[in-house]
């Protein structure tokens, strides 16, 4: 049974930082593209950042480029998202997801397994 668990969310002031973590079990982490997605109230879920497993290629949404950094530790089955210079518009539920391929797709519909999410709230 695949399990994905996110952690690290919280309340932070604008300009602050958070580091999200995502641990997985029940899947061969090294064979999956991993991604971070977010969903704000009343909005569609959107791709924040994704990373392949073989060459660690990355994708970032235009709204986070230069502020967020995705990384993964295949030995620890863990995905990270370092978020700096946070803005109030970054407030959302952040989800970790897995896709059993090695291409750099970062669309919600392309991902098979999802965590329950961790809330990030940025105050102005």
């Amino acid at each position: 049974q695949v399990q994905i668990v996110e952690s690290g969310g919280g309340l932070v002031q604008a300009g602050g930082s958070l580091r999200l973590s995502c641990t997985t079990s029940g899947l061969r982490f090294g064979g999956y593209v991993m991604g971070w997605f977010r969903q704000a109230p009343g909005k569609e879920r959107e791709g924040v950042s994704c990373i392949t497993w073989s060459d660690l290629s990355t994708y970032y949404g235009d709204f986070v480029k230069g502020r967020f950094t995705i990384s993964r530790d295949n030995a620890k089955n863990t995905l990270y998202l370092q978020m700096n210079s946070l803005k109030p518009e970054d407030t959302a539920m952040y989800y970790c997801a897995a896709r059993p391929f090695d291409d750099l797709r970062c669309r919600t519909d392309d991902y098979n397994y999802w965590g329950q999410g961790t809330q990030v709230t940025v105050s102005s």
Side-chain angles (χ1 to χ4, degrees):
Q1 182 179 357
V2 176
Q3 289 189 321
I4 296 177
V5 180
E6 304 94 336
S7 62
L11 174 63
V12 64
Q13 288 187 333
S17 299
L18 284 173
R19 188 192 195 203
L20 305 184
S21 297
C22 165
T23 58
T24 70
S25 61
L27 56 78
R28 189 171 61 88
F29 188 77
Y32 283 70
V33 175
M34 299 297 298
W36 288 101
F37 298 78
R38 71 185 187 184
Q39 187 167 20
K43 295 187 177 181
E44 292 188 354
R45 194 171 297 187
E46 60 183 353
V48 175
S49 183
C50 297
I51 184 169
T52 61
W53 65 268
S54 58
D55 62 2
L56 305 183
S57 296
T58 57
Y59 161 88
Y60 293 95
D62 288 341
F63 48 87
V64 301
K65 284 182 178 177
R67 300 189 297 125
F68 293 7
T69 302
I70 191 171
S71 61
R72 63 189 293 165
D73 187 333
N74 288 340
K76 295 182 179 180
N77 291 358
T78 304
L79 178 73
Y80 304 98
L81 185 68
Q82 178 67 44
M83 305 188 295
N84 299 328
S85 302
L86 282 162
K87 305 175 181 180
E89 51 263 43
D90 293 319
T91 295
M93 185 72 78
Y94 282 70
Y95 297 90
C96 175
R99 166 180 164 81
F101 295 97
D102 199 32
D103 54 28
L104 200 52
R105 295 187 182 186
C106 206
R107 301 180 307 171
T108 302
D109 291 346
D110 291 326
Y111 282 71
N112 303 78
Y113 302 104
W114 293 84
Q116 294 299 308
T118 185
Q119 178 68 39
V120 172
T121 303
V122 184
S123 62
S124 58

